[in-house]
Amino acid sequence: MGKIKVDNAIIVVSKRQEEVVPLTFEKDKEFLEIKGESLLERQIKQLLNVGITDITVAVDEDRDELNYLKDEYGIKISHELKYANENNFLNLYYCRHLLSNTYLLSGDNYMVDNIFNEYEERSWIAGSNKEDNSNKIGIEFDEDDRITSLKKKKNADWQMYGPIFLTEADSKIYRRIMEEYYQTKNVKNYNIEDVLIGNIEEFNIYLYKQTKEKVYELDNLDELRDLDEKYKDDSSNEILEYIASVFNIKQSEIKNSQPLEVGMTNSSFTFEVGDNKYICRVPGEGTDELVNRLYEHDVYLAIKELDISDRIIAFDRETGIKLTKFFSDSRSMKLENPLEVAKSIDILKTLHKSGAKVSHEFDIKNKIREYIDLCSEDLYESELFSQIRFKMRELIGIEEAFDDEDVLVHADANKNNYLVDDKGNIILIDWEYAGMGPALLDIGMFCIYGDMPDEEVYKITQYYLGRDPEKEDLLKVYVYMGLGSFLWAIWTEYKSEVGVDYFDYKLRMYNHANSAYDRVKEIQSSGINNWIYSKFSR
């Protein structure tokens, strides 16, 4: 088999806050250091050491922190994305023309030994026989080590770990499939390996066998500690330091930290101390301007005896870091389950009737104005915002005439903030927007996130009130649905300005605001017996 001169290397980097938590809440994974050397820089040095000088780092945005690598090592940076992505497919797509006889790497890989060469013989995928029961990509291969199958599988004997090398012939196939996927699939959440999964029979790729001690993707903090002992008790990480101080333990006693995929405002992860499991909530980017943590702390004190929320272990009023008891085997409530919907509304009833009070308000019109003020003047260039803001001004005028007594409201009672355990118990979490306000605001918020048709809005309101809603009740619910949707749409506008994109969610909120406005106008112009009320009362 002939020798193939390696032409170049592409290192794909995606800005994700996952794995190795909580370190990656403060620093991107590729910049984590092992023995004084970042993961990304180590790979660059290993490539240069075997004569591979044509190196491109493919990222999803212009990142100043990478510039020193250009100056020091002569690498190139590719950042041509026009919108944020979740994974790394698009990072590579925009520099796919560089694929030739190419090393294809991920910025978060760590190779103990240098496995790169100036020449290769064939395409390969690095794989390891790690004892890992996570949902990794399993590799099946024939007696010549040619890969015959790639699929996500738990407990696979061999799993993808580390770099890929593609010959020019396989790069052409890879590029063709990438372009087909870009045209036909929603690739925003794709990774570079998704091109190979399901198409491996088109390639001539072999398994490059590595031992489990040689190649790492650093999936968790415990693995990082094994590679560099400094992370055991002196991580220099504010979050780990806080947890250790709360429990009066060494950082090394904080075990099995795992990212938790809930919430848009914050980042969260689970961890274990001894035999107990906990959740740590960390405020997300731009949150300090949106949320008053002192207010949130006061809310938790006010509802402490109601037994409807997550159980606080510790709450840092300055940083907003919150530690709670883990709600075992929990999941988000299901709107298609009538019993869970009823229990969720019952929690709101309990809250509203409790007499619990705090000293601050959740005044939705003031919140809207506050969030608009946080945004730059570019907000007024937004077509979506411009199309609807005058309609929302009209709804604010209607809302100002309401005279309901204020109660303590959650103000973000969406389905993802209700957790259901394995026994059917439900709690309501994330009270950071809570304050004194009108009770039906919570019903409006609940209906927004449920994408509920008119009939369901009526039924939810009916159940909450314990009677058939009157025209004025429905008017209030739809006003709060409109203003609530508008508020969260502006929230996304601000979040995008600080680097967090929720375009699909933003579009959905603007659409909800517009639909709610239409319902308000219909209700205002109708008599009690017209078609819209008749439809509700069936």
Side-chain angles (χ1 to χ4, degrees):
M1 192 174 295
K3 295 287 187 179
I4 301 169
K5 178 75 167 65
V6 178
D7 295 318
N8 60 356
I10 302 173
I11 307 175
V12 289
V13 172
S14 58
K15 194 171 185 179
R16 294 171 290 173
Q17 292 184 338
E18 60 179 31
E19 303 165 341
V20 200
V21 290
L23 300 185
T24 45
F25 292 165
E26 296 182 355
K27 180 183 290 187
D28 292 334
K29 190 175 174 184
E30 66 271 11
F31 285 112
L32 292 178
E33 291 187 356
I34 295 178
K35 299 175 182 176
E37 191 175 48
S38 75
L39 302 183
L40 180 57
E41 193 167 356
R42 180 178 179 82
Q43 289 190 76
I44 292 171
K45 288 179 180 178
Q46 288 177 328
L47 290 163
L48 292 173
N49 285 341
V50 297
I52 310 300
T53 59
D54 186 350
I55 303 170
T56 299
V57 176
V59 293
D60 53 3
E61 60 184 350
D62 190 4
R63 292 169 60 180
D64 293 339
E65 65 267 32
L66 295 174
N67 288 337
Y68 85 96
L69 297 173
K70 290 194 297 185
D71 299 334
E72 192 162 341
Y73 301 109
I75 68 165
K76 295 173 285 188
I77 308 291
S78 171
H79 52 80
E80 300 185 33
L81 279 189
K82 303 300 188 293
Y83 53 90
N85 61 290
E86 297 298 324
N87 292 308
N88 58 28
F89 176 98
L90 285 168
N91 299 25
L92 180 60
Y93 178 82
Y94 283 101
C95 58
R96 64 195 183 282
H97 59 284
L98 300 176
L99 288 168
S100 181
N101 295 307
T102 301
Y103 283 125
L104 189 52
L105 317 173
S106 176
D108 57 8
N109 290 157
Y110 182 83
M111 277 72 70
V112 175
D113 298 325
N114 192 344
I115 67 173
F116 303 124
N117 300 287
E118 186 178 3
Y119 292 88
E120 294 287 353
E121 295 184 351
R122 58 193 184 185
S123 296
W124 52 257
I125 293 173
S128 172
N129 58 346
K130 289 180 182 287
E131 296 174 4
D132 188 345
N133 64 357
S134 61
N135 199 29
K136 290 289 186 181
I137 298 173
I139 303 175
E140 295 179 5
F141 50 95
D142 62 20
E143 63 275 8
D144 297 320
D145 291 341
R146 185 176 185 274
I147 297 175
T148 58
S149 173
L150 289 176
K151 61 179 67 173
K152 290 186 178 180
K153 180 182 179 182
K154 287 189 176 183
N155 300 311
D157 291 335
W158 286 87
Q159 303 168 1
M160 281 188 71
Y161 267 94
I164 298 169
F165 175 71
L166 295 177
T167 64
E168 185 172 4
D170 282 321
S171 284
K172 288 180 180 178
I173 299 169
Y174 189 97
R175 190 163 51 243
R176 171 179 58 79
I177 296 172
M178 279 198 99
E179 291 169 351
E180 290 174 0
Y181 279 15
Y182 184 82
Q183 295 296 328
T184 61
K185 299 178 183 292
N186 179 10
V187 296
K188 186 176 179 180
N189 297 316
Y190 273 39
N191 282 308
I192 58 175
E193 58 265 26
D194 288 316
V195 175
L196 300 170
I197 296 173
N199 300 296
I200 196 64
E201 71 282 351
E202 296 194 42
F203 296 89
N204 190 34
I205 300 184
Y206 292 78
L207 172 62
Y208 187 3
K209 294 179 179 178
Q210 300 293 319
T211 63
K212 61 184 179 181
E213 299 86 6
K214 296 296 183 182
V215 178
Y216 293 84
E217 289 184 354
L218 290 182
D219 294 327
N220 53 65
L221 177 59
D222 296 327
E223 198 169 47
L224 181 60
R225 287 168 170 167
D226 289 340
L227 287 168
D228 192 336
E229 288 195 354
K230 81 171 185 178
Y231 290 103
K232 288 185 177 179
D233 287 313
D234 187 20
S235 66
S236 299
N237 178 265
E238 177 187 22
I239 302 164
L240 289 175
E241 289 172 353
Y242 177 70
I243 295 172
S245 68
V246 168
F247 290 95
N248 193 26
I249 57 175
K250 294 180 179 180
Q251 289 185 29
S252 56
E253 296 178 64
I254 305 168
K255 300 286 190 180
N256 198 25
S257 58
Q258 299 290 333
L260 199 58
E261 297 182 6
V262 295
M264 296 170 64
T265 303
N266 309 297
S267 298
S268 300
F269 66 98
T270 60
F271 65 94
E272 296 172 4
V273 174
D275 295 329
N276 297 313
K277 192 170 184 178
Y278 304 92
I279 297 174
C280 177
R281 188 282 310 274
V282 182
E285 293 180 71
T287 304
D288 289 345
E289 299 294 334
L290 296 167
V291 175
N292 186 314
R293 296 299 173 184
L294 300 180
Y295 287 173
E296 182 187 12
H297 180 267
D298 290 345
V299 168
Y300 272 107
L301 288 178
I303 64 173
K304 184 177 180 180
E305 304 302 324
L306 299 182
D307 198 29
I308 59 174
S309 70
D310 40 349
R311 297 184 179 179
I312 303 294
I313 303 299
F315 190 117
D316 190 307
R317 297 173 59 177
E318 298 300 319
T319 64
I321 297 174
K322 181 182 69 173
L323 307 182
T324 57
K325 189 87 172 178
F326 181 70
F327 200 52
S328 64
D329 297 319
S330 62
R331 58 169 173 80
S332 297
M333 64 87 71
K334 296 179 179 179
L335 289 167
E336 61 271 23
N337 185 319
L339 180 59
E340 291 183 11
V341 171
K343 287 183 177 181
S344 299
I345 299 301
D346 286 341
I347 287 177
L348 295 179
K349 288 183 182 181
T350 298
L351 173 67
H352 297 161
K353 294 177 180 180
S354 68
K357 295 182 183 297
V358 291
S359 60
H360 63 276
E361 294 181 316
F362 184 91
D363 186 317
I364 196 162
K365 59 183 180 296
N366 287 339
K367 278 290 180 186
I368 288 171
R369 290 166 183 150
E370 177 185 325
Y371 286 9
I372 289 174
D373 288 343
L374 286 174
C375 296
S376 69
E377 290 297 317
D378 291 343
L379 176 64
Y380 293 92
E381 301 299 320
S382 166
E383 184 177 351
L384 290 168
F385 177 80
S386 298
Q387 286 175 348
I388 201 169
R389 66 189 182 101
F390 293 107
K391 292 181 178 180
M392 296 300 104
R393 184 179 296 176
E394 190 175 343
L395 293 191
I396 287 173
I398 297 171
E399 196 271 341
E400 287 177 335
F402 298 159
D403 59 355
D404 293 353
E405 179 183 355
D406 281 351
V407 296
L408 183 55
V409 294
H410 182 275
D412 191 22
N414 76 78
K415 61 182 179 180
N416 293 324
N417 282 336
Y418 286 97
L419 296 184
V420 185
D421 70 9
D422 51 358
K423 297 179 182 178
N425 300 309
I426 301 183
I427 59 171
L428 181 56
I429 64 171
D430 288 353
W431 294 76
E432 54 210 343
Y433 298 101
M436 304 302 290
L440 288 179
L441 180 142
D442 271 341
I443 301 305
M445 292 291 191
F446 188 90
C447 293
I448 290 169
Y449 288 100
D451 296 324
M452 292 181 179
D454 296 330
E455 292 86 349
E456 290 302 313
V457 173
Y458 181 88
K459 290 176 183 177
I460 293 294
T461 308
Q462 182 184 48
Y463 181 79
Y464 174 80
L465 294 173
R467 58 172 172 79
D468 289 342
E470 298 177 357
K471 179 178 175 179
E472 188 71 12
D473 300 317
L474 292 174
L475 179 69
K476 291 175 181 178
V477 170
Y478 276 108
V479 165
Y480 291 126
M481 287 177 68
L483 294 178
S485 300
F486 187 53
L487 176 73
W488 302 130
I490 300 167
W491 180 94
T492 65
E493 299 276 14
Y494 172 71
K495 292 289 276 189
S496 67
E497 291 186 7
V498 298
V500 185
D501 181 67
Y502 294 116
F503 180 79
D504 293 341
Y505 177 80
K506 174 171 67 176
L507 182 61
R508 182 175 148 216
M509 288 299 106
Y510 275 125
N511 287 337
H512 280 328
N514 201 53
S515 296
Y517 173 83
D518 291 342
R519 288 295 180 267
V520 168
K521 301 307 290 182
E522 290 169 351
I523 293 171
Q524 279 187 319
S525 63
S526 66
I528 198 74
N529 293 319
N530 85 336
W531 70 269
I532 188 168
Y533 194 84
S534 297
K535 181 171 65 171
F536 286 151
S537 59
R538 285 174 188 166

